[in-house]
Structure formats: structure tokens, C-alpha cells
Amino acid sequence: MSASARQYRPETRLVHSGTLRSQYGETSEAIFLTQGFVYDNAEQCEARFIGTEPGFLYSRYSNPTVAMFERRIAEFEGAETARATASGMAAVTTALVGLVRAGDHVVAAKALFGSCRWVIEDFLPRFGVASTLVDGLDLDQWRKAVRPNTKVFFLESPTNPTLDVLDIGAIAEIAHAAGAKLVVDNVFATPIFQSPLALGADCVVYSATKHIDGQGRCLGGVILAAEKFIQDNYHTFLRQTGPSMSPFNAWVLLKGLETLHLRVRRQTETAAFVADALARHGKITRLVYPGRADHPQAATVKKQMRGGSTLVCFEVAGGKAATFRFLNALELVRITNNLGDAKSLVTHPATTTHQRLTPEARAELGITDGVVRFSAGLEHPDDIIADLTAALGKV
Ligand SMILES: Cc1ncc(COP(=O)(O)O)c(C=O)c1O
């Protein structure tokens, strides 16, 4: 198969797109664990640096294994170009920093992963970039937050951890009318269930650490957009500052892409079973799952997503003490702050991912002391439900 596989169906592209075979004709892609590259002669070296001859120069800029990962995810996402980064936060930070200068303004939904919110609220202002946080569900708040110097809108959907679903198409329209660009963190939806670029976003970012690896091994991130957008805003920043993905991680993540659709579909089925089982449980006071008809934004889910989620958000009755009793009673499902793993995981956002926020800011986002984020793994769903319900019995 040629390196370009756009004509094939999505599952086929996840297995084949971007493959660069070496002279040995290997079946599985090679790991090019090299910092640099050698040239046949000084003229060739000069031509590579000028850019008149294509080829690799240095692994901070690009590397064959990283390039395979970038091509494969770009073709699956339907993006012209992808750039891999060392972590999801490197991707988010680059995607934002590359679009602003001192004196600019960013608007973001307040329901964000804690580190993303820190970048917007605390880090960008250090460099003279102001920010406004809005309730992402309220389109009027996005409109009213716009200033003459607004350059970027940023959101994640479904949100972490409360799984609200924001209307990406409508928010993209507001951004573009204001002359701003929309960056979407698509980690929770995964590329299997949501395509922000097709909905109007200018740039998509992932923590590849999550479902793309899917087995809890490597950190990674990726930025996807049109070629010109990447060239104009990120190319030089990435090359000169160096948040590069390691070739080894790129290889793990490349192989992760091959099974992404199988894992995410299975985990989503399991999450839906868990959501249905817990929604009826007497110790659960609130449950949000994008695949259920009672999801608060069910119409938006239907409009912009191709499936539910591998995550379920629920609230245990009785506050922090009761919730900790539940978490501590789990035997199969493990306590962590991560998600998207083959192993089922639970997170207590109020004391981990969103611990930095004030109690008022958490309350505003619906992150009470009883909120638990569940990430479905690949175990048998009955074993997971048995573990969750047994632990709830001990609350
Ligand atoms: C929504 C979201 N965005 C970004 C990140 C950051 O990714 P990473 O941990 O790979 O830096 C995470 C998770 O940690 C996340 O959940």
C-alpha cells in the first residue's frame, strides 16, 4: 500500500496510512531510534537544510517513525497535517501559544482539564495575553466575551470530568465571525466519535497518552490542522523550542492507532452498560453519560458525535467520606488520575485533576466531592459492574 491511503475506509487507514518501509521490507513499522541523519555529501546536506531536497535532518524537527505516526493520525482525522509532541499538554500549549502575541485575548470554556485551565488562566497572562473563561454551553457568553483583540477560542468536548457536550459548529461560527480561530481538545471524544475540523474547528489537539496509546505506556500529543495553518503558526515554534515526541513513543502510539477503533468501540459499549447499571443505583445521585437519552445535551451529542464515550461521570451520595469509602472498596477498577487505558480506572477530580481550583470554581463546574470519573477498560463488563456495585454497597 502506498504511503497515502485516503481512498480506504477508516479502519484500514488506521492500520496502513503513513507506512514508510525501509530497504528490509519489514511488516511492522521500524523504530528509527536516532537523533540525527547522515548525508551522501556536503551538497546534499546543504540542499536538505535549504529545503530544496526533502528528507530528515534532526529528530527534534522530524523523524521517520514520528512522521509515520503523524501521517497515520492526520489521514484518519481528515487533516492535511499533524505534528506530534511529547505530551498532550505540549500539544495544547503549542496550539495556544502559536496563535497569540502580547496584547491578544483568548476565550475558553471554563470546564477544562486542570492543566489546560492553568495555561489559559495563569500562564498566558504572564506574557500579556488576557483570557476570559465562559460557560461553554451558553453561546451568548462566547459572543459577549469577544474583544477586538480576541485571537483564539479554546474548548474541550465532552468536558473533563462532567461530560458536558459543547456545540462545536456554533462556537466555530462565533469564533470566525470575530476573526478568531477555534482550537478543540478532542481527547474525550477520540477521533473515532468526533471530527472537530469537519465541524468548523481550525485546529484539533489530542493527548495521545489516552486512548491512542490505550495501554498506559507512553506520553504523547498531537496537533492537527491545515498545512498552511501549521506552517504559519507552529512549524518554527516546534522546531526551535523542541517539545518533540520520542521515536520510541511514536512507534508505540502508531501501533496503538491500529487497534484504536476496536478498543474505543468496546470501551464505549462497556461504559454504556456501566452507565445504565449505575443510573438506577440508590447510592448514585447524578450520572452523566453522552450515550444516554437523558444526557443534558442529548441533541448536540446526536448532531456532532458518532458514539457515546468511554467515560462515565457520576456522583456518589454522602460527600467525600462516602466517595472515598467507595473508591477504597474497589478491587478490580483502580484509582488513578488517568483515562483511556485497557484497565478500568476511576478518578476523584475534586482531589486530583481539579484540586487546584477553588471550591467555588469546582462547584460552578458541578465537580462536587462526590463526583467520580470512570474510564472503561477492556475487561468483561460484568466483572466491572460487579466491582462497582459491590463497592457502592460498602458506602
Ligand atoms: C482533556 C485533556 N487534555 C489534555 C490532557 C493532557 O495530556 P498529557 O497528560 O498527555 O499531557 C489531558 C490529560 O492529562 C486531558 O484529559
Side-chain angles (χ1 to χ4, degrees):
M1 184 174 292
S2 74
S4 175
R6 282 188 195 275
Q7 72 270 32
Y8 294 106
R9 289 172 181 77
E11 291 82 353
T12 312
R13 294 207 294 271
L14 281 176
V15 178
H16 289 281
S17 288
T19 300
L20 296 170
R21 270 202 181 94
S22 80
Q23 70 271 35
Y24 299 114
E26 62 279 353
T27 316
S28 174
E29 297 77 358
I31 310 178
F32 290 92
L33 210 48
T34 179
Q35 298 169 345
F37 303 86
V38 295
Y39 310 96
D40 293 340
N41 47 53
E43 287 77 11
Q44 185 187 47
C45 182
E46 182 184 26
R48 290 263 181 99
F49 269 80
I50 295 170
T52 48
E53 179 184 303
F56 295 96
L57 293 166
Y58 188 52
S59 289
R60 167 150 49 80
Y61 300 173
S62 188
N63 168 283
T65 314
V66 178
M68 286 192 260
F69 169 69
E70 291 172 337
R71 195 69 243 141
R72 190 165 292 177
I73 177 96
E75 291 199 5
F76 186 70
E77 186 77 36
E80 278 177 17
T81 305
R83 288 298 167 88
T85 55
S87 68
M89 282 320 301
V92 169
T93 307
T94 302
L96 294 171
V97 166
L99 294 175
V100 290
R101 306 283 179 275
D104 287 345
H105 173 241
V106 174
V107 185
K110 45 176 90 130
L112 290 180
F113 171 59
S115 301
C116 299
R117 193 159 155 165
W118 180 84
V119 170
I120 304 255
E121 257 189 320
D122 297 79
F123 181 68
L124 291 181
R126 287 189 202 171
F127 303 95
V129 177
S131 58
T132 306
L133 293 176
V134 298
D135 173 352
L137 294 169
D138 183 346
L139 296 179
D140 259 351
Q141 289 199 20
W142 289 98
R143 281 189 204 100
K144 287 187 184 135
V146 168
R147 299 181 192 168
N149 55 342
T150 304
K151 293 289 160 42
V152 186
F153 275 28
F154 179 69
L155 64 87
E156 61 184 46
S157 182
T159 60
N160 181 2
T162 46
L163 306 180
D164 283 330
V165 174
L166 278 52
D167 188 334
I168 296 174
I171 296 165
E173 268 183 34
I174 300 169
H176 295 157
K181 304 295 183 194
L182 174 63
V183 178
V184 173
D185 181 337
N186 207 34
V187 164
F188 273 43
T190 83
I192 304 294
F193 290 144
Q194 186 167 270
S195 305
L197 295 176
L199 295 167
D202 300 281
C203 179
V204 180
V205 289
Y206 288 102
S207 164
T209 313
K210 308 295 184 294
H211 303 87
I212 293 176
D213 176 354
Q215 292 170 70
R217 299 161 296 189
C218 288
L219 295 176
V222 62
I223 305 171
L224 297 119
E227 175 69 34
K228 186 170 168 3
F229 194 85
I230 299 263
Q231 283 296 333
D232 290 352
N233 302 304
Y234 307 133
H235 177 78
T236 309
F237 179 85
L238 286 166
R239 283 169 73 121
Q240 307 302 354
T241 64
S244 332
M245 177 180 280
S246 104
F248 179 79
N249 287 9
W251 181 81
V252 172
L253 299 167
L254 181 68
K255 303 311 277 180
L257 285 176
E258 294 181 353
T259 56
L260 181 68
H261 67 100
L262 292 174
R263 290 183 283 102
V264 167
R265 285 185 202 290
R266 164 75 181 201
Q267 288 166 319
T268 301
E269 274 169 29
T270 298
F273 287 137
V274 166
D276 288 344
L278 297 194
R280 297 186 299 269
H281 199 286
K283 298 266 171 65
I284 300 291
T285 44
R286 180 159 59 102
L287 182 139
V288 187
Y289 182 66
R292 280 173 62 88
D294 61 3
H295 186 278
Q297 297 87 39
T300 314
V301 174
K302 205 166 165 200
K303 184 169 76 167
Q304 73 185 25
M305 296 183 71
R306 295 181 287 274
S309 174
T310 66
L311 296 135
V312 184
C313 177
F314 55 85
E315 185 182 55
V316 178
K320 181 174 171 183
T323 308
F324 272 27
R325 278 199 297 280
F326 160 70
L327 296 172
N328 293 338
L330 290 165
E331 288 179 3
L332 177 67
V333 178
R334 306 306 305 176
I335 302 168
T336 179
N337 50 296
N338 207 4
L339 61 101
D341 200 293
K343 295 176 173 62
S344 288
L345 305 170
V346 276
T347 301
H348 186 246
T351 53
T352 59
T353 51
H354 294 72
Q355 171 259 335
R356 196 187 61 82
L357 299 185
T358 61
E360 296 73 38
R362 280 198 297 274
E364 197 182 23
L365 296 173
I367 306 173
T368 63
D369 284 348
V371 163
V372 172
R373 186 187 75 195
F374 167 78
S375 168
L378 294 171
E379 304 93 341
H380 195 288
D382 293 348
D383 289 334
I384 299 169
I385 291 170
D387 194 39
L388 292 167
T389 47
L392 281 172
K394 295 184 184 149
V395 164

